Amino acid sequence: MILVTGATGTIGRCLVRALAEADVPFRALVRDARKGKALDCEFVVGDFDDPVSMVSALKGVDRLLLNSGGALPVDGQQPMVRQQTGIIETARAAGVSLVVKVSAWQPGPDAKLSVGAHWEIEQYLKASGLPWASLQPTGYMQNFFTGEGGFTRSGALEGPYGEGRVAYIDAFDVAACAAALLTGPLRGGETYALTGPEALTHEEIATKLAIPFRDLTPQKAAEGLQAQGLPGWFVDDPLRLYAEMAAGAMSEVTTTVRELTGRAPRTFDEFLANG
């Protein structure tokens, strides 16, 4: 039995469909029963912040997809660290044989926001004694339609991107890689860097989306983030990530999706065509 956490999220919904089509026993973890019913699969209601519910959710589970929300504008350690390390402990007590974690591109101890948080969680998972695999994707193509990819209310793509290229990946392909690991032969202790098949500039992406592109200065970007309600002390962290992106830190293209799934990852044009 596989437990899919984050089942109603971008990756989770794709994974639920993939596992259902493969006729593999699984259950989805949801916080809202109404959303669980909409998935049209076996589901259990639970919350990472409710340890008792997670003990129940993990009963009879053999393999776990560990995924949750991203960074929050809070001071100190990101809540996702406490939440996911708690689930790792519950999974170990439940006798889970494999944890496949959805991580981030090149997590490290000095990284900011969710990237640094994922590094902390990965270290905990590696020390847990559980067999594990880490999926480290670049940014998701879906983010350009969820408000996390730089859209503004005016319908433009804007940010301090410069000419940096990013090998964005379709969440559909991340889910396909997760499905391959969760249903395949047991193997652990491996990290998978996941990218799409091409690295594009944001100006090229804006052209594909048929919207204007505005390359902002870091100062203008900071003003925009603060206007969205983010505290000033928090804004420096996303600006650092933007700067790394503009410098080409996410431009590498890997062949991992093909190696895990047997097919090439979707291009941005294919993503748009498939909705």
Side-chain angles (χ1 to χ4, degrees):
M1 173 67 74
I2 297 168
L3 179 66
V4 178
T5 66
T8 60
T10 306
I11 296 170
R13 289 193 302 270
C14 293
L15 180 56
V16 164
R17 287 196 296 271
L19 295 176
E21 290 172 0
D23 198 24
V24 175
F26 77 95
R27 71 172 64 113
L29 176 73
V30 298
R31 287 183 293 180
D32 186 330
R34 291 174 298 178
K35 292 184 177 180
K37 291 177 182 177
L39 292 174
D40 193 26
C41 68
E42 179 182 342
F43 70 90
V44 59
V45 177
D47 192 306
F48 280 14
D49 287 321
D50 180 358
V52 174
S53 71
M54 293 311 303
V55 170
S56 177
L58 283 162
K59 284 183 179 178
V61 168
D62 182 52
R63 301 187 181 192
L64 168 68
L65 186 282
L66 181 59
N67 190 23
S68 67
L72 298 174
V74 298
D75 198 7
Q77 188 184 64
Q78 283 292 319
M80 64 187 293
V81 176
R82 169 182 49 78
Q83 293 168 342
Q84 291 199 21
T85 55
I87 301 311
I88 290 168
E89 282 303 313
T90 306
R92 180 165 60 178
V96 169
S97 64
L98 176 66
V99 176
V100 176
K101 172 172 167 50
V102 179
S103 184
W105 184 254
Q106 297 180 346
D110 298 322
K112 299 298 182 181
L113 302 176
S114 62
V115 184
H118 282 302
W119 181 85
E120 289 187 62
I121 298 164
E122 283 192 0
Q123 303 315 299
Y124 195 93
L125 179 57
K126 292 174 183 178
S128 71
L130 285 166
W132 60 271
S134 175
L135 300 178
Q136 298 183 349
T138 53
Y140 305 121
M141 296 175 184
Q142 280 80 359
N143 286 353
F144 291 97
F145 295 94
T146 61
E148 299 175 5
F151 271 150
T152 67
R153 291 180 181 176
S154 62
L157 175 57
E158 62 178 31
Y161 296 113
E163 297 181 0
R165 293 183 175 274
V166 179
Y168 284 104
I169 186 168
D170 189 339
F172 171 86
D173 290 317
V174 179
C177 290
L181 293 170
L182 290 165
T183 62
L186 182 62
R187 50 183 178 177
E190 298 177 338
T191 297
Y192 300 93
L194 305 181
T195 77
E198 57 191 349
L200 302 170
T201 67
H202 286 79
E203 186 170 13
E204 291 171 340
I205 291 171
T207 298
K208 292 179 181 297
L209 295 172
I211 60 174
F213 171 70
R214 302 184 188 125
D215 188 27
L216 303 181
T217 64
Q219 181 179 350
K220 282 291 185 183
E223 292 171 357
L225 290 170
Q226 291 184 50
Q228 295 174 28
L230 293 178
W233 58 265
F234 185 79
V235 166
D236 286 342
D237 288 348
L239 287 181
R240 176 173 165 180
L241 294 180
Y242 274 124
E244 292 171 353
M245 189 182 299
M250 300 175 75
S251 62
E252 179 185 355
V253 174
T254 71
T255 59
T256 311
V257 172
R258 181 184 290 277
E259 291 163 5
L260 284 175
T261 68
R263 58 164 181 76
R266 289 176 174 177
T267 65
F268 205 93
D269 288 335
E270 289 170 334
F271 157 70
L272 292 176
N274 283 278

